[in-house]
Amino acid sequence: MSIIDDFFSLKGKIALVTGATHGIGMALAKALAGAGATIVFNDLSAERTENALKEYKAAGINAHGYVFDVTDEKAVNESIAKITGEVGVIDILINNAGIIKRIPALEMSAADFRQVVDVDLNAPFIMSKAVAPGMIAKGGGKIINICSMMSELGRETVSAYAAAKGGLKMLTRNLASEWGANNIQVNGIGPGYIATSQTGPLREEGHPFNTFIVGRTPAGRWGEVEDLQGAAIFLSSRASDFVNGHVLYVDGGILAYLGKLPS
């Protein structure tokens, strides 16, 4: 066995990636499958789940899709029990499902604020709590929370998202503190600005936000979903067995960079 196989292989592992019917979640799930993991994913929509199953199959991945709401603790517990019976005990959980509402704080309702926090912060707690007993019984596991640069920075119109992602950073640290003795590593990935279908309009040549992001990033470009795959494999594998409570920012250097002087 090579050192790569020894440290990074996920053969025999079962990985659950929430919301992995498209975008970043699907890219992470495909990466873990390529490293040998059995993939389980969920979505709120049966139609999106079926379409994703077809895409995974076309990529040669025999994924298992389930329909449930990550904010519903009863539904989550029932689904985890079902997954355990049908696929096996979860070894790796990636809390990827999330939403954002870009509304100025003075115009944002408390209901909208609560919904973002419910999906982006409460749900990772519910999911982690649901899989942890199985991991403890099995002797360990990996939990990866998809954080954000907004776990560290503020920006206009994203007060709920930033509050939730900042909370998710601290949830990551606290669960790592509680479960580290059980050989469970809880870490985060903080994506920078990633090229997805959602950011397509912002990335058009000449768009002010595209110019801002490219100029603000030392790498001089938007990230691709593939840029996150290595971090996911690392944090899912035994290569990260002594990495705990850490958020790995994959941002092209934005958080390290003050920015260019105005010309």
Side-chain angles (χ1 to χ4, degrees), residues 60-76:
I61 299 168
N62 182 29
H64 304 265
Y66 292 82
V67 179
F68 63 89
D69 182 352
V70 291
T71 69
D72 183 334
E73 188 170 19
K74 183 174 182 290
V76 167

Side-chain angles (χ1 to χ4, degrees), residues 52-61:
L53 283 169
K54 292 175 185 175
E55 186 167 343
Y56 282 115
K57 186 175 181 180
I61 299 168

Side-chain angles (χ1 to χ4, degrees), residues 2-252:
S2 71
I3 192 169
I4 297 298
D5 288 334
D6 186 33
F7 278 99
F8 296 100
S9 173
L10 300 179
K11 290 177 183 176
K13 303 296 184 181
I14 297 171
L16 168 57
V17 185
T18 64
T21 55
H22 62 284
I24 289 173
M26 180 172 278
L28 299 183
K30 286 180 175 179
L32 300 195
T38 297
I39 299 302
V40 182
F41 70 95
N42 88 299
D43 197 274
L44 274 172
S45 163
E47 181 180 3
R48 285 196 298 266
T49 300
E50 286 301 318
N51 289 338
L53 283 169
K54 292 175 185 175
E55 186 167 343
Y56 282 115
K57 186 175 181 180
I61 299 168
N62 182 29
H64 304 265
Y66 292 82
V67 179
F68 63 89
D69 182 352
V70 291
T71 69
D72 183 334
E73 188 170 19
K74 183 174 182 290
V76 167
N77 289 335
E78 290 173 350
S79 298
I80 294 301
K82 186 176 183 183
I83 292 166
T84 300
E86 294 178 352
V87 186
V89 175
I90 300 299
D91 298 288
I92 302 159
L93 168 66
I94 299 185
N95 284 310
N96 164 76
I99 61 171
I100 186 170
K101 294 193 175 188
R102 295 181 176 90
I103 305 172
L106 286 175
E107 299 170 19
M108 189 171 213
S109 69
D112 280 335
F113 192 97
R114 287 192 189 100
Q115 184 185 16
V116 174
V117 172
D118 202 24
V119 177
D120 293 355
L121 179 56
N122 291 342
F125 170 74
I126 291 169
M127 289 297 305
S128 299
K129 185 168 176 271
V131 303
M135 291 180 174
I136 291 169
K138 200 170 183 178
K142 305 280 187 175
I143 297 174
I144 302 169
N145 294 319
I146 301 304
C147 297
S148 168
M149 286 188 300
M150 297 301 106
S151 299
E152 302 288 345
L153 301 172
R155 193 167 64 80
E156 297 85 349
T157 77
V158 293
S159 57
Y161 182 79
K165 292 298 186 178
L168 188 58
K169 175 184 70 174
M170 293 310 301
L171 178 66
T172 299
R173 292 177 177 177
N174 278 271
L175 294 184
S177 301
E178 288 199 31
W179 297 339
N182 301 111
N183 193 32
I184 296 174
Q185 290 82 53
V186 186
N187 292 292
I189 295 174
Y193 285 91
I194 305 297
T196 65
S197 58
Q198 289 181 322
T199 60
L202 300 175
R203 290 182 284 109
E204 293 178 359
E205 188 68 29
H207 193 292
F209 196 75
N210 179 67
T211 303
F212 168 70
I213 291 303
V214 172
R216 185 71 176 77
T217 307
R221 65 174 177 87
W222 287 67
E224 303 291 339
V225 291
E226 292 78 12
D227 289 318
L228 301 168
Q229 291 179 320
I233 292 171
F234 168 63
L235 292 175
S236 298
S237 70
R238 71 174 293 264
S240 61
D241 278 357
F242 204 56
V243 178
N244 210 3
H246 176 74
V247 180
L248 175 54
Y249 290 98
V250 186
D251 66 354

